[in-house]
Amino acid sequence: MRIGELFVMNGLITEEQLEQALKQQVHTRKKLGEILIDKGLITERQLVEVLEFQLGFPVVNMYETALDMNTVQLIPEALARKHCVIPIERKNGKIKVAMVDPLNYDAIEEIRMATNMSVQPVIAIRSEVEQAITRNYGLKESVEELMVDLDKLEIKDEEQEANDQGSPIVKLVNQIIQSAVQQKASDIHVDPQEKQLIVKYRIDGVLRTEKALPKHMQGVLTARLKIISKLNIAERRLPQDGRIQMQVDNRRIDIRVSTLPTVHGESIVLRILDQSAGIKKIAELGLSEANLVKFDKMIQRPNGIILITGPTGSGKTSTLYSALGQLNGDDVKIITVEDPVEYRMAGVTQVQVNSQIGLTFASGLRSILRQDPNIVMVGEVRDAETAEIAVRASLTGHLVFSTIHTNSAVSTISRLVDMGIDSYLIASSVSCIVAQRLVRRVCRECAQQVPAREDELQLLETHGLAGAGAGESWLAQTGTGGSFVRPPSVKPGEGTILLTRGKGCGTCNKTGYRGRLAVHEVLVVDEPLRRLIVQNRPVNELEQHLAQHGFRNMLHDGLLKVRGGHTTVEEVLKAVSDE
């Protein structure tokens, strides 16, 4: 029986979903299991369980398997990463190897030639093998060995040491960045303390300490980061911004670097941008069915301002790029002015802000309007001048996209008024405001259903989401939005609502969460709302009007995704206040 038929037979996917995945396989040449995982229809664990049944190879749990370093070193790191394999045992001239694809005969033959042993494949989850490779291989030496070398190192010239490609500090910096990329960290924080230097990773929005380094390494590590970021090493009193471009595991990675002088030395934050991940389609942003329809309709308009709002790190730029990607074509001219240009888009004219020479958002926007664009994207509305030019641009027939920092979609209107923009201009120019936050996604490998607590029930009931079938509109909206744990609305015979939680496993580092998704509110400025804006009505009156006309805020959208089995009430309340 073919593997797709096994998935259908076990009730993991439908015949229709299998047919869609097989069509996609023809174009992408990817394995069927990988496509189904990417679409959120099955989990990695479900895949290996079906492979075990179909092929007869045993499955191993990498987090319960002790690895011997001498055995691990039998397979070179490059070979292990190339085929996503790791050796777990050798005995009587045989080597047992954990593999994602036990039928990869090229990998088996290369391992046999490298080790001069016969290969015994076993099946393991891809994410577990990748993390095992990260934990057990260094660049050439482990961080611990590098630390020993650095402790012995007598640094006489920090700049010379940071430039020496054979220096332990160069290897350590590479190791820190590579490990962060492999763990899917969004940021690396190098925080100087009084007696040590702390390296932290932000993974799924949560900071965690990765390494504590000796204080004497601070100067040379800072120098190395500044050199590869093309910053001024001698300047330690002023903040600086730079950029690093490098290849990690055959992926192009862009890193934005920011330095800030503190009482204990320079604090450095590296924002990791994975260019190989590409720009998502709008249907992949996690918008609910109703919000997706509204947003898609608004970006098709020929003019007006569309604002994306939220705090730093809430995915605003990703939403902007997704919208521009959908509109990008031969029949339109799109010009952006950004600080910095995060992703390169073919066919789009992108301008980098440079305030040192007077190229600001306002001056850049003023200039690009003379370039005959159809669509304009301004990285951020930071001041009244930029806001005013954006308004004028929209009124003269341009579609303008931008971001702004406010707490909600409605409060964006009062923010523009505070900037000095006349209310009648706001009403006639702003067509749509999208507010969003990122919440952690329940780990698919350890997801389980538990009865909702009393406080969770009350919150769901308040928002009309306690009934049978709640959350279905979110589940059904796109091919990528399907739930990995089908959330039964009510437990049969008991009337108890079941919600999805992560138990905690090795894949999610015992947190119960892996990855993130966005919660949104999409505010369309229609004629009744325009009249209220022109009358300078306060925010609470605008909110009352919207509530009476079916507007759903971020909290409601988040709870819809809780019912859909994708996140938890705690995550939603942490991101969105329950007023």
Side-chain angles (χ1 to χ4, degrees):
M1 189 177 289
R2 294 175 180 241
I3 190 169
E5 295 170 348
L6 284 172
F7 288 132
V8 174
M9 187 181 74
N10 284 280
L12 299 174
I13 61 173
T14 64
E15 290 278 3
E16 184 182 357
Q17 289 168 333
L18 173 60
E19 188 177 337
Q20 290 174 351
L22 289 172
K23 287 180 182 177
Q24 187 174 334
Q25 188 180 28
V26 173
H27 300 293
T28 62
R29 302 288 182 183
K30 293 174 71 175
K31 288 184 169 55
L32 180 63
E34 292 179 23
I35 293 171
L36 293 173
I37 289 171
D38 291 343
K39 291 171 77 68
L41 298 173
I42 64 170
T43 69
E44 290 180 287
R45 191 164 299 281
Q46 287 168 338
L47 173 62
V48 298
E49 286 171 355
V50 170
L51 287 173
E52 179 184 27
F53 175 81
Q54 184 196 36
L55 304 176
F57 291 102
V59 173
V60 295
N61 185 327
M62 294 306 301
Y63 293 98
E64 296 174 358
T65 304
L67 299 183
D68 173 41
M69 284 306 298
N70 292 326
T71 303
V72 170
Q73 296 301 326
L74 292 174
I75 295 180
E77 181 186 359
L79 181 57
R81 293 195 184 280
K82 176 183 175 183
H83 295 296
C84 198
V85 301
I86 193 165
I88 57 177
E89 185 181 82
R90 62 173 171 174
K91 193 174 183 181
N92 300 327
K94 293 182 179 180
I95 184 166
K96 185 184 290 186
V97 181
M99 307 180 67
V100 174
D101 180 7
L103 297 182
N104 186 340
Y105 297 114
D106 290 338
I108 292 172
E109 182 61 18
E110 287 186 47
I111 295 167
R112 186 190 65 77
M113 293 179 66
T115 61
N116 202 24
M117 297 182 187
S118 62
V119 180
Q120 181 183 352
V122 294
I123 308 174
I125 291 174
R126 176 179 293 276
S127 58
E128 291 186 2
V129 175
E130 288 175 345
Q131 290 186 37
I133 291 171
T134 300
R135 285 196 307 269
N136 290 281
Y137 286 101
L139 294 172
K140 283 185 180 176
E141 307 161 327
S142 68
V143 172
E144 287 71 24
E145 290 170 326
L146 289 172
M147 294 286 292
V148 171
D149 291 343
L150 285 162
D151 284 337
K152 295 176 183 175
L153 192 65
E154 292 184 12
I155 301 170
K156 296 176 181 177
D157 187 330
E158 288 181 353
E159 184 173 353
Q160 181 180 342
E161 190 65 39
N163 267 312
D164 181 3
Q165 294 300 313
S167 166
I169 199 67
V170 173
K171 297 177 184 177
L172 180 60
V173 168
N174 291 340
Q175 177 87 353
I176 288 170
I177 294 173
Q178 182 172 325
S179 179
V181 171
Q182 289 165 355
Q183 294 184 54
K184 295 181 171 59
S186 60
D187 301 87
I188 304 171
H189 290 242
V190 181
D191 290 336
Q193 307 292 324
E194 185 178 358
K195 296 182 179 178
Q196 59 185 352
L197 188 67
I198 304 296
V199 178
K200 297 179 180 179
Y201 293 163
R202 186 179 294 280
I203 301 174
D204 293 337
V206 179
L207 268 179
R208 80 153 195 251
T209 299
E210 181 70 12
K211 293 287 175 189
L213 305 176
K215 185 69 174 177
H216 73 268
M217 289 171 53
Q218 180 175 324
V220 68
L221 187 132
T222 300
R224 176 60 188 168
L225 287 172
K226 282 185 169 184
I227 286 170
I228 59 177
S229 310
K230 296 180 174 57
L231 299 179
N232 184 355
I233 296 178
E235 180 55 76
R236 302 181 181 182
R237 302 163 300 167
L238 295 173
Q240 297 186 67
D241 294 310
R243 193 172 195 138
I244 303 169
Q245 289 187 331
M246 61 192 303
Q247 293 283 125
V248 177
D249 295 340
N250 297 318
R251 287 187 291 165
R252 182 188 160 199
I253 303 296
D254 274 16
I255 303 173
R256 282 165 41 191
V257 182
S258 171
T259 71
L260 181 70
T262 72
V263 292
H264 297 304
E266 288 177 283
S267 171
I268 302 177
V269 175
L270 296 85
R271 167 66 57 88
I272 299 171
L273 305 169
D274 188 353
Q275 299 288 345
S276 66
I279 296 168
K280 289 184 177 181
K281 296 179 179 178
I282 287 180
E284 298 172 348
L285 293 175
L287 288 155
S288 67
E289 187 175 15
N291 285 338
L292 179 63
V293 170
K294 285 193 286 186
F295 185 60
D296 191 48
K297 181 180 178 181
M298 298 312 295
I299 67 172
Q300 302 298 332
R301 294 182 51 155
N303 54 50
I305 299 177
I306 296 175
L307 293 170
I308 316 294
T309 182
T312 301
S314 59
K316 300 188 298 297
T317 303
S318 297
T319 302
L320 279 180
Y321 277 114
S322 296
L324 293 181
Q326 179 161 317
L327 298 172
N328 191 14
D330 294 335
D331 57 338
V332 295
K333 180 164 186 176
I334 302 174
I335 306 182
T336 73
V337 52
E338 307 170 60
D339 183 22
V341 175
E342 293 190 4
Y343 294 95
R344 278 25 176 210
M345 292 185 71
V348 175
T349 304
Q350 296 175 276
V351 178
Q352 169 74 54
V353 165
N354 187 344
S355 55
Q356 294 180 347
I357 60 172
L359 180 54
T360 62
F361 280 122
S363 62
L365 180 55
R366 193 179 289 109
S367 298
I368 64 179
L369 290 176
R370 294 193 286 269
Q371 292 279 314
D372 188 31
N374 301 97
I375 299 168
V376 174
M377 193 268 269
V378 187
E380 185 182 343
V381 174
R382 294 179 179 173
D383 50 47
E385 186 182 8
T386 308
E388 187 174 342
I389 300 170
V391 166
R392 300 292 180 189
S394 71
L395 294 175
T396 52
H398 300 88
L399 181 61
V400 181
F401 289 90
S402 190
T403 67
I404 190 168
H405 289 278
T406 58
N407 290 326
S408 66
V410 181
S411 62
T412 302
I413 296 168
S414 60
R415 173 79 178 110
L416 291 172
V417 172
D418 291 341
M419 281 184 171
I421 308 300
D422 292 330
S423 57
Y424 74 91
L425 289 176
I426 297 170
S428 56
S429 62
V430 177
S431 57
C432 179
I433 304 169
V434 179
Q436 65 181 65
R437 301 285 190 279
L438 291 179
V439 296
R440 288 187 293 173
R441 189 189 291 269
V442 173
C443 174
R444 299 196 296 177
E445 300 302 328
C446 61
Q448 59 181 1
Q449 291 171 345
V450 297
R453 300 190 307 266
E454 188 63 34
D455 60 321
E456 293 173 329
L457 281 173
Q458 290 177 359
L459 189 59
L460 291 169
E461 286 171 359
T462 302
H463 288 265
L465 293 171
E472 292 300 313
S473 61
W474 154 248
L475 292 174
Q477 55 126 343
T478 67
T480 58
S483 177
F484 47 89
V485 176
R486 191 68 178 178
S489 302
V490 178
K491 194 173 181 180
E494 296 183 18
T496 302
I497 291 177
L498 296 178
L499 301 180
T500 306
R501 293 184 185 279
K503 185 179 179 182
C505 65
T507 302
C508 61
N509 201 27
K510 303 296 182 184
T511 62
Y513 298 97
R514 190 173 185 224
R516 289 191 290 177
L517 77 159
V519 295
H520 306 86
E521 58 186 32
V522 179
L523 172 59
V524 174
V525 182
D526 55 13
E527 196 55 43
L529 184 58
R530 284 195 183 96
R531 287 197 293 269
L532 294 175
I533 294 171
V534 170
Q535 294 168 15
N536 280 321
R537 298 292 187 184
V539 169
N540 62 333
E541 283 192 31
L542 299 180
E543 289 174 341
Q544 288 172 10
H545 165 81
L546 291 168
Q548 291 167 4
H549 290 80
F551 175 71
R552 302 300 186 187
N553 60 19
M554 278 187 288
L555 180 58
H556 184 278
D557 189 58
L559 295 175
L560 189 67
K561 288 163 186 175
V562 170
R563 288 305 314 271
H566 290 264
T567 188
T568 62
V569 170
E570 291 89 347
E571 276 297 297
V572 172
L573 292 180
K574 197 161 61 175
V576 185
S577 62
D578 177 21
E579 295 178 356

